Amino acid sequence: MIQANDPKLTSWIEVEKDSDFPIQNIPFGVFKTKDSAPRVGTRIGNKVIDLNALFVLGYFKNLPFEGSDFNTSSLNNIMKKGKEGTRELRNRISKLFTSDFPDLKNNEQHVAQVLIDIDEVEMLMPVEIRDYTDFYSSEQHAYNVGCLFRDPNNALLPNWKHIPVGYHGRASSIIPSGQAIHRPKGQKKPPTEEVPVFGQSNLMDFELEMAFFTYEGKPLGDHITTAEADDYIFGMALFNDWSARDIQGWEYVPLGPFLGKNFASSISCWIVTLDALEPFRVAGPDQSNPKILPYLEYAGNKHIDINLDVFIQPEGGEENCVCNSNYRHMYWNMNQQLAHHTVNGCNINNGDCYASGTISGPNEGEYGSMLEISWKGTKPFKMNDGTERKFINDNDTVIMRGYSEKDGVRIGFGEVSAKLLPAK
Ligand code: MN
């Protein structure tokens, strides 16, 4: 077992019972305060831990890190140390904050330099993302979309159960939780019109997804197997892949999503390591009918049990839960996605981001987009203020939260939240 994952560990920092951030989490993020420049941190309970301060005070002796790895505005430098480096770092942090470890706990001056209240920090974009790929790996989502746009008898396209389908997205418009977006404008062709029109999107949607971030990969021409994939995955975040359905519907044939997707995707700011998620592994679906090709086969449990909830909050109103899903509903896991992505020799880089595709569960109430929840606008969602939603209204905030829980340990992601402002 990874030392920092021990469910028996407790911290000398107070952690509330339902906190996403017990000592077993130790996620990584980038923050600033009104007095300090961006730097790398972690979090226990409601305290942000300044990793640059810990480094400067000598608490990371004999680890393969230097000051520039923490006194910086992204996690890319610590990610360059690979799985072994970040695992050692997480284990060291865990030890420093364990209840019975006195060194830091008993040094009041150091504690004051290292701990910051969560209310006093601004969380920033955690990773400088080089390339971004979006998959389409939830069977229920692919089936639902197939029903809505084709027919239930041919809902899944012939390739879907053979290939983890994906497309290359845009890295520049991935933004951190809290940053508002504007309703996009673009070209669309409403069914009532003869010719396309230009205007604001009227069918703004979210997509409930999880993202993972990679370490440096192999040279161009080499590939990563499903057995090797874990060693190339640093951690995960919540991911809202904002989608303008009317723009998407007109543009996507034959080359797939473009301006209906690339105006913004929002991510949660704490990257939870794959190491911290290991205790929550579960078996995936049967993939023997049709049988998958050998390069996509994998051993062991590679899916992860992560509860996922989506809320819509109108301006000045209450949160309305519109979806409870789970990351375990994926048909293709991250190992298969990465093996497929690299099987042709495509190289991956430190800081690349891969999103899962919309994660829909098998039942109503578990669908991960308004397109499915409102069944293309035919079944509006009733909000608790009496209004209805087919898609997202101006000034609505969309919030996604996620956590894993087992043996009394809850490892969470916090949230990804973003307000949709009117079109510019
Ligand atoms: Mn997507």
Side-chain angles (χ1 to χ4, degrees):
M1 183 175 64
I2 297 160
Q3 176 201 314
N5 289 355
D6 185 347
K8 293 195 293 292
L9 293 177
T10 56
S11 176
W12 50 267
I13 298 177
E14 189 195 328
V15 180
E16 287 165 20
K17 194 177 157 288
D18 282 335
S19 173
D20 280 350
F21 305 100
I23 192 167
Q24 288 83 0
N25 193 338
I26 318 281
F28 293 99
V30 174
F31 71 96
K32 68 177 183 183
T33 67
K34 62 181 196 320
D35 310 313
S36 80
R39 55 192 54 198
V40 172
T42 183
R43 175 174 177 175
I44 296 177
N46 287 324
K47 296 289 184 188
V48 171
I49 296 163
D50 183 337
L51 297 187
N52 186 58
L54 279 178
F55 178 86
V56 170
L57 294 169
Y59 287 98
F60 292 157
K61 282 210 179 79
N62 305 317
L63 291 180
F65 291 91
E66 46 203 296
S68 56
D69 297 333
F70 304 106
N71 188 13
T72 178
S73 60
S74 80
L75 302 179
N76 296 51
N77 282 357
I78 67 164
M79 291 165 70
K80 278 187 196 147
K81 312 295 175 175
K83 191 84 164 188
E84 285 309 308
T86 52
R87 181 175 291 171
E88 276 186 73
L89 177 62
R90 186 167 161 270
N91 282 339
R92 175 71 62 88
I93 296 165
S94 167
K95 188 174 151 194
L96 293 172
F97 291 93
T98 302
S99 296
D100 54 7
F101 189 79
D103 295 25
L104 176 59
K105 177 186 174 180
N106 293 342
N107 190 327
E108 243 175 78
Q109 241 185 349
H110 285 186
V111 169
Q113 286 178 63
V114 165
L115 297 190
I116 306 156
D117 285 336
I118 189 72
D119 301 333
E120 285 169 31
V121 309
E122 181 187 344
M123 295 304 299
L124 305 171
M125 188 67 190
V127 178
E128 193 179 317
I129 297 171
R130 291 187 56 175
D131 271 314
Y132 156 52
T133 299
D134 195 20
F135 286 97
Y136 190 61
S137 290
S138 151
E139 180 174 0
Q140 189 67 45
H141 173 69
Y143 174 80
N144 288 346
V145 171
C147 289
L148 286 167
F149 291 99
R150 288 183 299 276
D151 76 280
N153 296 319
N154 297 297
L156 291 185
L157 289 169
N159 62 3
W160 199 88
K161 286 202 165 181
H162 297 279
I163 289 176
V165 170
Y167 72 96
H168 287 302
R170 181 113 194 129
S172 64
S173 53
I174 301 179
I175 54 173
S177 178
Q179 186 174 332
I181 65 164
H182 284 273
R183 181 179 294 274
K185 292 182 282 197
Q187 189 179 139
K188 52 206 177 153
K189 189 182 165 300
T192 50
E193 303 286 332
E194 282 286 304
V195 293
V197 297
F198 179 83
Q200 67 170 36
S201 169
N202 293 320
L203 306 179
M204 266 296 285
D205 203 353
F206 61 81
E207 291 190 336
L208 169 64
E209 306 196 20
M210 293 293 303
F212 69 90
F213 298 85
T214 52
Y215 298 111
E216 194 65 42
K218 293 183 180 181
L220 183 69
D222 288 356
H223 72 275
I224 293 167
T225 66
T226 57
E228 295 168 330
D230 289 345
D231 292 336
Y232 291 89
I233 299 172
F234 169 57
M236 302 187 72
L238 302 164
F239 192 94
N240 178 358
D241 186 20
W242 291 102
S243 299
R245 299 299 181 195
D246 37 8
I247 297 172
Q248 182 185 0
W250 172 233
E251 74 179 358
Y252 85 104
V253 177
L255 288 187
F258 190 28
L259 304 191
K261 298 279 190 174
N262 69 2
F263 57 92
S265 298
S266 303
I267 66 164
S268 55
C269 290
W270 292 109
I271 307 297
V272 176
T273 62
L274 188 60
D275 274 358
L277 294 165
E278 288 296 342
F280 309 98
R281 295 280 197 182
V282 289
D286 174 46
Q287 295 183 328
S288 61
N289 184 28
K291 193 168 162 26
I292 56 173
L293 286 167
Y295 80 94
L296 290 169
E297 289 172 356
Y298 62 95
N301 288 345
K302 292 300 171 195
H303 288 63
I304 307 178
D305 185 354
I306 305 173
N307 298 291
L308 299 168
D309 298 316
V310 185
F311 305 84
I312 299 174
Q313 183 174 32
E315 182 146 57
E318 291 170 26
E319 292 181 6
N320 294 250
C321 184
V322 297
C323 164
N324 310 107
S325 187
N326 194 303
Y327 185 59
R328 69 189 302 163
H329 295 312
M330 303 290 288
Y331 188 80
W332 302 105
N333 59 48
M334 291 182 280
N335 300 59
Q336 294 178 304
Q337 290 170 337
L338 209 47
H340 182 67
H341 204 306
T342 60
V343 75
N344 64 347
C346 173
N347 51 341
I348 63 159
N349 285 303
N350 190 49
D352 285 353
C353 175
Y354 308 78
S356 57
T358 307
I359 305 161
S360 293
N363 303 303
E364 265 185 65
E366 299 175 342
Y367 297 168
S369 67
M370 289 309 291
L371 178 70
E372 296 160 90
I373 293 166
S374 74
W375 210 250
K376 219 174 162 185
T378 60
K379 296 180 186 174
F381 181 88
K382 291 196 173 38
M383 305 273 281
N384 49 28
D385 63 4
T387 62
E388 290 184 338
R389 291 292 183 284
K390 296 174 179 172
F391 290 90
I392 304 302
N393 286 3
D394 283 350
N395 299 312
D396 282 350
T397 298
V398 175
I399 305 159
M400 298 173 176
R401 301 196 178 97
Y403 66 93
S404 299
E405 195 161 31
K406 193 184 170 188
D407 299 332
V409 177
R410 170 179 165 133
I411 301 291
F413 291 81
E415 64 180 33
V416 57
S417 164
K419 185 174 182 178
L420 176 65
L421 300 173
K424 274 192 179 179

